[in-house]
Amino acid sequence: MTIPLSFQTLAEHPAPGLHFPAHERAERDEYVLPAPHYFGTPATPRELERLRNKTAACPSLQAELLAFYSRWNGVDLCAVPDLLSGEPTPALCIHPLEDWDGLTAQLANKMGWVLEGLEEMYVAGRYQVFASSPGEGTRLVLFTQGECEGRPLAGKVFYLSMDPVLSFTEPVADSFFALLSAFADDPTAFLARIGYTTCVSGKDGIYGARPDRYLADCGLRLDEPEQPAEGGAGDEDPRQGTLFD
């Protein structure tokens, strides 16, 4: 099983960046932020064996995940400097295998209310939280087994969020590799689809900003994290529970 060529090509981009259009409310002209990708080292044999056990009921999913995690144990995609912390924050994080169980338990414990009424589909033990995007608790879920109302779920990727822009019952991608391909083919279109927003400072406050174009080489590199903005909000992230213009 081979990782999609488009995604392998994405991994080789020299200086990725995101272009943002002019923001009227923030009174800011168009700008570009460096948005590098960070690729992990291969997963350990122990984690790969655990992955085999988790995905035994869906061989096609198992093959895709083993191909990916044997090469990279997680990736951070389009990591832009966060306005509040100054740290590079990935627009999409595909998490290391050792984080899956904790993230899945966290979903049940802290965000379980988003699944109210969907208990027949989201059955504990049949899915894993494997990816996330900042703001509104956005999570991507892989089903490792099961079906709902006669529809197979195993191998498909679904979206969850505290302020949803997509249905929780319609797949974002029909397979893990299909997700990788969709992101690599047009990163900003994929990010827009899942409601990705970062922060931009303006004269009268902080606003949401959405990239409209991905650049394979923007000529900028994120060598050091930017310093936090003065008067930051501390532990309070204004993206949570807030709709941005």
Side-chain angles (χ1 to χ4, degrees), residues 15-82:
L18 291 176
H19 174 274
F20 292 79
H23 198 299
E24 182 177 349
R25 293 193 64 189
E27 298 181 356
R28 181 158 185 176
D29 293 334
E30 62 178 338
Y31 60 99
V32 172
L33 290 178
H37 313 305
Y38 299 106
F39 290 80
T41 56
T44 65
R46 179 179 179 182
E47 290 298 336
L48 292 175
E49 185 59 30
R50 293 183 65 210
L51 179 62
R52 289 186 181 92
N53 294 333
K54 287 179 185 292
T55 56
C58 186
S60 60
L61 173 63
Q62 183 182 81
E64 291 183 355
L65 290 173
L66 286 174
F68 181 86
Y69 280 94
S70 293
R71 184 167 180 180
W72 303 304
N73 188 20
V75 300
D76 289 345
L77 298 170
C78 291
V80 301
D82 185 84

Side-chain angles (χ1 to χ4, degrees), residues 119-133:
E119 290 82 1
E120 290 187 8
M121 177 176 171
Y122 287 87
V123 177
R126 292 185 178 179
Y127 64 88
Q128 293 278 320
V129 175
F130 77 100
S132 62
S133 184

Side-chain angles (χ1 to χ4, degrees), residues 2-10 64 68 77 92 94 157 172-190 193:
T2 304
I3 297 169
L5 179 59
S6 59
F7 193 83
Q8 296 185 58
T9 301
L10 182 89
E64 291 183 355
F68 181 86
L77 298 170
L92 180 66
I94 299 177
V157 179
V172 175
D174 286 332
S175 70
F176 178 70
F177 275 5
L179 176 86
L180 299 184
S181 294
F183 185 92
D185 290 345
D186 193 336
T188 51
F190 181 89
R193 188 179 177 208

Side-chain angles (χ1 to χ4, degrees), residues 130-144:
F130 77 100
S132 62
S133 184
E136 307 302 345
T138 298
R139 300 289 184 266
L140 296 180
V141 168
L142 265 173
F143 274 82
T144 57

Side-chain angles (χ1 to χ4, degrees), residues 85-169:
S85 69
E87 296 294 330
T89 302
L92 180 66
C93 175
I94 299 177
H95 293 282
L97 291 173
E98 57 268 26
D99 293 348
W100 281 21
D101 287 346
L103 291 166
T104 305
Q106 183 185 70
L107 172 67
N109 295 333
K110 295 185 178 181
M111 288 178 58
W113 57 270
V114 304
L115 299 178
E116 290 179 2
L118 299 173
E119 290 82 1
E120 290 187 8
M121 177 176 171
Y122 287 87
V123 177
R126 292 185 178 179
Y127 64 88
Q128 293 278 320
V129 175
F130 77 100
S132 62
S133 184
E136 307 302 345
T138 298
R139 300 289 184 266
L140 296 180
V141 168
L142 265 173
F143 274 82
T144 57
Q145 58 183 299
E147 62 177 37
C148 183
E149 299 179 349
R151 181 180 61 160
L153 298 174
K156 298 184 186 300
V157 179
F158 290 81
Y159 159 97
L160 298 170
S161 176
M162 292 188 293
D163 188 12
V165 297
L166 295 173
S167 168
F168 297 168
T169 61

